[in-house]
Amino acid sequence: MAVGTVLITGGTGYIGSFTSLALLQHGYKVVIVDSLYNSSKVSLDRIELLCGKRPEFHQVDITDEEGLNKVFAAHEDIDSVIHFAALKVCVLGHPRHASAHENTGCWRIRRDPLEYYRVNVGGTITLLRCMQKHNVHNIVFSSSATVYGDATRVPNMIPIPEHCPIGPTNPYGRTKSTIELIITDFIDAERNNAKKANKPFEQWNGALLRYFNPAGSHPSGIMGEDPLGVPFNLLPLLGQVATGQREKLLVFGEDYSSRDGTAIRDYIHVVDLAKGHLAALNHLRDAKPGVRAWNLGSGRGCTVFEMINAFSKVVGRPLKYEVVGRRAGDVLDLTANPARANEELGWKTELTLEDACEDLWRWVSNNPKGYRQEPPKELLEA
Ligand code: NAD
Ligand code: WQD
């Protein structure tokens, strides 16, 4: 029998697919809801190839209350939700918007913040209403280190602890910090309502997982990040330079006060990140902590130049780059203090930056078209 049934919104996406795999491998039953806005159903095949089990899948938009209610009604055993579905930061050029906008290198979020609020914030409210209606009490939410903004504005906040003041520097980050508040208010209210009705209140719990920079792919080389539009993040872009799909990487600024002038991030292997969700879910179910935030990061900072060097080493040749000006909204340093997650969730990163680079290279060099091609036979047979 399954140890529990988890609804995963956004479960065919990058982090969602790795988390679905981790949950299935640990005996959970997984029900995915995804609109396929930025993902494909092929990720379900890869999950099945890797663990022999296939998640249930429903193509539903999280802003569609009726559709979402039907999924909860069809799976009365759902006891928890992991909520990934969101519009994440991307540059204009996503195929769903290509007709409206050419890729100008601008962030879509800066042109279209209302759409981000509609989907991210509105979709979360719809999801919480459905959870309330169907008595599903645990939610693990994909937040982001981006909610901290420029942590160097406050003395002694690097590496960043969870009590660092929130201060996102872009509308995407503000959708995430707003959702954190909504989940906190919602669960507080449900706990109070339950108390007043003399019902068990401890059952309502929420984990706000603040991811630092997810990186890497599955070590098998058959599952990885496959964004439908123009990638926004450093590693997928470096992957495109390495496979010749992009001429060079643009380095956004070398005038930061870091050891080499480029900005510092805490890159976390997506397999470790997926395990963090499992740890958080188990903690909610066992310890019933109410709502709590946890940083999911390694605690090690890496500059852009260090990342280019690490990936070039794995690829075996130098990768072309050009230094340009800073990107609007970027900050100097986002390095996690992961002590709270280490102690309370019993979770820590196990894989290194080199592992992330090697796994990414295995993925992009063998699958230059991502999920739009069959993986090489030797990888399937390995
Ligand atoms: P992703 O785009 O690969 O996954 C998001 C999934 O949500 C996709 O499968 C997409 O199709 C789905 N989705 C989007 N809108 C939807 C809607 N209205 N209804 C149903 N499904 C919808 O992104 P990811 O990198 O896997 O990110 C997952 C979550 O983690 C997101 O909430 C993101 O904001 C957050 N996050 C990501 C990063 C990162 O760098 N990747 C960092 C911090 C936080
Ligand atoms: C890392 C470093 C860039 C691309 C963003 C979002 C955040 C989050 C994850 C998701 C930075 C530099 C990058 C390039 C570069 N959530 N860089 N050239 O900015 O830390 O976080 O993605 O949806 O909310 O803000 O990650 O990978 O984009 O950048 O020099 O072409 O690499 O300036 O210092 P970031 P990133």
Side-chain angles (χ1 to χ4, degrees):
M1 211 177 91
V3 290
T5 301
V6 184
L7 179 85
I8 304 197
T9 73
T12 46
Y14 175 42
I15 308 169
S17 56
F18 280 81
T19 303
S20 299
L21 174 65
L23 259 65
L24 287 168
Q25 286 170 328
H26 284 83
Y28 282 91
K29 189 177 144 196
V30 170
V31 178
I32 291 178
V33 161
D34 200 300
S35 64
L36 302 180
Y37 174 86
N38 194 35
S39 55
S40 100
K41 279 203 277 187
V42 178
S43 59
L44 302 171
D45 303 335
R46 304 299 165 89
I47 292 170
E48 193 175 2
L49 272 172
L50 288 167
C51 74
K53 295 181 209 162
R54 192 177 181 85
E56 296 257 358
F57 175 75
H58 298 268
Q59 186 170 354
V60 172
D61 196 295
I62 53 158
T63 60
D64 168 7
E65 190 160 348
E66 201 187 326
L68 215 45
N69 268 324
K70 277 188 192 155
V71 176
F72 277 98
H75 301 277
E76 283 177 354
D77 51 346
I78 292 171
D79 55 60
S80 309
V81 171
I82 304 184
H83 179 31
F84 293 102
L87 298 185
K88 65 174 176 177
V89 181
C90 69
V91 291
L92 295 178
H94 189 288
R96 304 260 151 84
H97 301 275
S99 54
H101 304 294
E102 283 307 302
N103 172 20
T104 61
C106 293
W107 301 21
R108 182 176 167 226
I109 179 85
R110 291 199 178 278
R111 291 272 189 93
D112 203 1
L114 290 185
E115 182 61 2
Y116 277 73
Y117 278 98
R118 185 185 75 79
V119 174
N120 296 7
V121 177
T124 304
I125 293 172
T126 304
L127 174 67
L128 295 174
R129 277 201 197 292
C130 294
M131 288 176 62
Q132 189 179 40
K133 183 168 174 179
H134 296 274
N135 288 314
V136 176
H137 302 124
N138 293 316
I139 180 163
V140 175
F141 170 61
S142 293
S143 190
S144 170
T146 240
V147 300
Y148 295 118
D150 180 9
T152 60
R153 73 192 187 284
V154 190
N156 305 319
M157 285 291 162
I158 302 286
I160 305 173
E162 287 82 355
H163 63 263
C164 175
I166 298 301
T169 55
N170 61 61
Y172 165 79
R174 284 188 279 275
T175 69
K176 292 288 173 186
S177 56
T178 303
I179 296 168
E180 286 198 355
L181 293 174
I182 291 172
I183 291 175
T184 305
D185 284 345
F186 170 70
I187 291 195
D188 276 358
E190 288 305 318
R191 285 191 154 220
N192 283 332
N193 293 340
K195 260 185 214 163
K196 279 190 192 133
N198 278 327
K199 286 186 181 160
F201 64 90
E202 306 87 351
Q203 54 191 356
W204 284 99
N205 295 287
L208 312 174
L209 299 185
R210 297 178 180 157
Y211 315 153
F212 283 65
N213 287 55
S217 307
H218 196 270
S220 63
I222 67 165
M223 198 163 114
E225 185 171 14
D226 184 25
L228 293 183
V230 182
F232 178 84
N233 296 121
L234 179 62
L235 268 169
L237 288 164
L238 265 178
Q240 289 193 342
V241 176
T243 52
Q245 296 174 68
R246 184 171 291 270
E247 190 212 339
K248 61 189 170 193
L249 181 89
L250 299 180
V251 174
F252 297 139
E254 60 172 346
D255 57 348
Y256 287 98
S257 55
S258 67
R259 45 192 173 267
D260 61 20
T262 61
I264 301 167
R265 295 291 181 270
D266 181 336
Y267 296 91
I268 166 176
H269 197 297
V270 66
V271 169
D272 278 335
L273 185 56
K275 288 182 185 164
H277 291 75
L278 190 67
L281 185 66
N282 289 337
H283 184 77
L284 292 192
R285 290 157 57 111
D286 298 342
K288 307 195 185 324
V291 180
R292 191 131 170 94
W294 286 281
N295 285 340
L296 295 186
S298 71
R300 286 180 301 275
C302 170
T303 69
V304 178
F305 282 152
E306 287 165 355
M307 183 53 104
I308 296 175
N309 287 338
F311 195 57
S312 302
K313 213 165 153 186
V314 166
V315 174
R317 61 191 146 81
L319 297 173
K320 200 170 165 190
Y321 67 84
E322 181 191 339
V323 178
V324 295
R326 290 185 185 196
R327 185 171 66 181
D330 274 358
V331 298
L332 162 66
D333 193 342
L334 283 173
T335 303
N337 176 345
R340 186 188 279 184
N342 297 165
E343 285 156 22
E344 295 179 358
L345 304 182
W347 169 91
K348 63 176 173 44
T349 56
E350 288 164 1
L351 299 166
T352 62
L353 191 73
E354 288 68 32
D355 293 323
C357 289
E358 277 170 22
D359 292 338
L360 175 71
W361 181 231
R362 195 172 302 112
W363 165 245
V364 295
S365 57
N366 283 294
N367 311 267
K369 292 187 184 148
Y371 289 140
R372 278 144 289 166
Q373 66 168 96
E374 285 299 314
K377 272 207 181 85
E378 24 338 330
L379 290 185
L380 288 175
E381 283 157 9

